[in-house]
Amino acid sequence: SLDQFSVCYRLHPTAYTIVKQHLSFFNEQDDLTFYHYKQNLLSFFLGRSQRPLYENVDVPLPIRTWTHFCHIFDRGTYSLFVDGRKTIANATIVLSESKSVSLPLLGCLVIGQEQDSFSGGFDSTQTFQGYVAQLNFWSRPLQLEEVEDIAFCKRNLIGDVLSMDSDTV
């Protein structure tokens, strides 16, 4: 499992919807879901309890505009960057005293849709309507300079776990 990882991507919504799912990861033990609610409220959940780790963070996601997101997990802390700016800084994530925050590698990653079960349980009202680009997943926390370079199109860093910008992983 990974206790350090980064996930970055760009979203370009083309229609107004109440819920805009970014991505979800699901396996037999846990799940990880990022989504926007209404127009400006970003939330994410880790674990089947659906207890939010962060909820209602004010992050605009305007229609017909590209927005860059970068989620960084580093041994129990979480940082969020939006368009290269740190929105949440090194927040401590506590699920329970006996459980560390890590992402098991055997799972299903779905882009733009929430999973209610492993690779299934889809709800048509929980679908992102728009474009997703430059989705990359790294097995390490990215540095601030790397996040800024990606957000401002100075460099195109390819994820070492998954990349939409590469034919091989």
Side-chain angles (χ1 to χ4, degrees), residues 59-128:
V59 175
L61 185 59
I63 294 174
R64 296 185 187 90
T65 302
W66 285 104
T67 304
H68 183 261
F69 292 89
C70 198
H71 306 273
I72 299 176
F73 293 83
D74 187 5
R75 294 189 174 100
T77 64
Y78 170 71
S79 297
L80 169 66
F81 293 82
V82 178
D83 288 333
R85 291 178 202 81
K86 195 175 271 193
T87 303
I88 297 173
N90 300 321
T92 301
I93 298 172
V94 178
L95 294 178
S96 69
E97 289 185 28
S98 63
K99 188 171 185 181
S100 64
V101 177
S102 63
L103 186 66
L105 295 178
L106 296 173
C108 182
L109 177 68
V110 174
I111 302 162
Q113 178 77 51
E114 190 221 348
Q115 307 171 72
D116 290 328
S117 62
F118 185 81
S119 192
F122 299 116
D123 180 338
S124 63
T125 65
Q126 298 174 336
T127 302
F128 178 74

Side-chain angles (χ1 to χ4, degrees), residues 128-142:
F128 178 74
Q129 295 181 25
Y131 301 102
V132 179
Q134 290 183 308
L135 173 75
N136 285 282
F137 193 116
W138 292 268
S139 60
R140 64 180 179 82
L142 293 180

Side-chain angles (χ1 to χ4, degrees), residues 11-28:
L11 295 180
H12 185 275
T14 57
Y16 177 78
T17 56
I18 296 296
V19 178
K20 296 176 186 72
Q21 300 293 339
H22 295 206
L23 54 90
S24 67
F25 179 84
F26 201 100
N27 65 27
E28 292 180 2

